[in-house]
Amino acid sequence: MASTNNVTELIITGLFQDPGVQRVCFVLFLPVYLATVVGNGLIVVTVSVSKSLRSPMYFFLGYLSLVEICYSSTVVPKFITDLLAKVKTISLKGCLAQIFFFHFFGVTEILLLVVMAYDRYVAICKPLHYMNIMSRQLCHMLVAGSWLGGFIHSMMQVLIFITIPLPFCGPNVIDHYFCDLHPLFKIACTDTFVVGIIMFINSGLFSVFSFLFLVSSYIVILFNLRNRSAEGRHKALSTCASHITVVTLFFGPAIFLYMRPLSTFTVDKLVAVFYTVITPMLNPIIYTLRNVEVKAAMRKLWGQNNSGM
């Protein structure tokens, strides 16, 4: 597929066209993004510093929070600043970079969620062998594998098989508030059926199979909880409930967007707001509110800092 790019700059339509509504969105979404960075940042620092959070589960949680910051930051800062701009533009290279990093961090998060589900499976189903199986070396390898998997996925999807071969010769208006594959395909001056199938396989089926694996693993975990004491069941269910909630919030929008033909709906923008702006903010709330150890470590750590000041 020859690549003939007469387009070097793209115009983004944004979430809403009305200037007044955009200003209201700015006031709403700026605190949400700041809460995302601060909330996830607190988890990263707390897990890194606190001696009581040395188990593999919190090791993975720290990296998940770090990925959440990176994932949200690929889209939200420009989205927020564009809310105050009359004309929203992005270079074609900048658009491709945004797509690359958006999918890189998104898939890395999926793989980390899979790793966290495996960690819970070993902890609950094989408790006597947990520390031997989930060694520090294995934990580092699983985290590194998650980052590598996200990088390979993004390279395959965005740079090799999809974005680079597509010719963009105009028009240059993207009907979205950030660069993603669906709206970018619409402005390509060629048939995008083949790349649509590639995207369906690489993103849609990957999301579905990952989601089914996660659901299956938690079904097995819940099945094995039957033989636990009431206190043990409550503690395990509390941890698993947090994971299941995060998995549902993350995979629901992803499956909706990538498991259907190449077409864009008005609701796509609202769904995208949910998984790019709202969900990354909710994750630290979900994990801290339902986890006594994280809350205790945060109170101890930041209480000591305040008393030291």
Side-chain angles (χ1 to χ4, degrees):
M1 192 183 297
S3 178
T4 306
N5 292 329
N6 298 326
V7 174
T8 58
E9 188 176 64
L10 302 172
I11 298 174
I12 301 173
T13 60
L15 185 60
F16 298 105
Q17 304 301 314
D18 185 86
V21 176
Q22 292 188 66
R23 285 191 290 271
V24 171
C25 289
F26 176 85
V27 173
L28 291 175
F29 291 142
L30 179 58
V32 170
Y33 175 66
L34 294 177
T36 298
V37 175
V38 172
N40 284 288
L42 284 175
I43 291 180
V44 173
V45 173
T46 302
V47 170
S48 301
V49 176
S50 178
K51 295 181 180 180
S52 62
L53 302 179
R54 294 303 184 192
S55 69
M57 179 177 72
Y58 298 115
F59 176 77
F60 297 134
L61 177 60
Y63 276 100
L64 180 69
S65 297
L66 176 62
V67 171
E68 286 283 16
I69 295 173
C70 299
Y71 174 74
S72 181
S73 296
T74 60
V75 172
V76 181
K78 177 165 175 53
F79 165 54
I80 292 174
T81 55
D82 281 346
L83 289 170
L84 301 180
K86 291 183 178 180
V87 180
K88 307 165 182 59
T89 61
I90 186 172
S91 67
L92 180 59
K93 290 183 179 180
C95 181
L96 302 184
Q98 189 177 62
I99 292 174
F100 174 82
F101 286 108
F102 180 71
H103 284 265
F104 170 43
F105 293 120
V107 171
T108 301
E109 180 170 352
I110 289 176
L111 295 176
L112 280 174
L113 289 172
V114 171
V115 168
M116 293 175 75
Y118 174 70
D119 171 71
R120 290 300 84 202
Y121 165 78
V122 176
I124 293 172
C125 300
K126 300 181 179 181
L128 298 179
H129 305 284
Y130 177 66
M131 295 310 298
N132 290 330
I133 295 175
M134 300 303 296
S135 64
R136 202 68 178 173
Q137 182 181 5
L138 178 62
C139 291
H140 281 96
M141 290 176 60
L142 290 173
V143 169
S146 299
W147 286 95
L148 180 62
F151 180 78
I152 292 173
H153 169 90
S154 201
M155 284 289 291
M156 288 175 58
Q157 176 154 310
V158 181
L159 296 182
I160 299 177
F161 293 111
I162 297 180
T163 307
I164 288 180
L166 288 180
F168 300 101
C169 49
N172 66 332
V173 178
I174 290 184
D175 186 19
H176 215 300
Y177 66 87
F178 72 99
C179 288
D180 201 5
L181 295 171
H182 271 303
L184 192 63
F185 288 157
K186 290 188 69 177
I187 66 171
C189 48
T190 187
D191 183 19
T192 57
F193 176 78
V194 175
V195 292
I197 295 299
I198 295 173
M199 188 190 75
F200 173 79
I201 295 172
N202 205 27
S203 288
L205 292 182
F206 176 78
S207 298
V208 169
F209 287 144
S210 299
F211 181 71
L212 291 177
F213 173 82
L214 288 165
V215 170
S216 301
S217 66
Y218 285 117
I219 290 175
V220 173
I221 289 172
L222 293 175
F223 182 80
N224 280 271
L225 285 176
R226 296 179 307 160
N227 301 323
R228 291 291 187 91
S229 64
E231 183 180 354
R233 276 200 305 269
H234 180 268
K235 184 177 180 179
L237 285 173
S238 178
T239 303
C240 290
S242 301
H243 293 178
I244 293 171
T245 303
V246 170
V247 166
T248 303
L249 291 174
F250 186 87
F251 280 92
I255 292 174
F256 170 79
L257 290 175
Y258 296 108
M259 279 297 292
R260 56 183 172 81
L262 281 180
S263 58
T264 53
F265 304 124
T266 303
V267 73
D268 284 4
K269 294 183 183 182
L270 299 178
V271 173
V273 167
F274 188 78
Y275 70 77
T276 58
V277 182
I278 306 300
T279 301
M281 180 200 67
L282 293 178
N283 284 359
I285 298 174
I286 293 169
Y287 280 114
T288 54
L289 285 181
R290 299 189 64 90
N291 193 301
V292 177
E293 292 176 329
V294 173
K295 287 190 291 186
M298 281 188 171
R299 282 195 296 265
K300 182 178 179 181
L301 176 63
W302 301 108
Q304 288 177 348
N305 290 341
N306 290 334
S307 61
M309 293 174 63

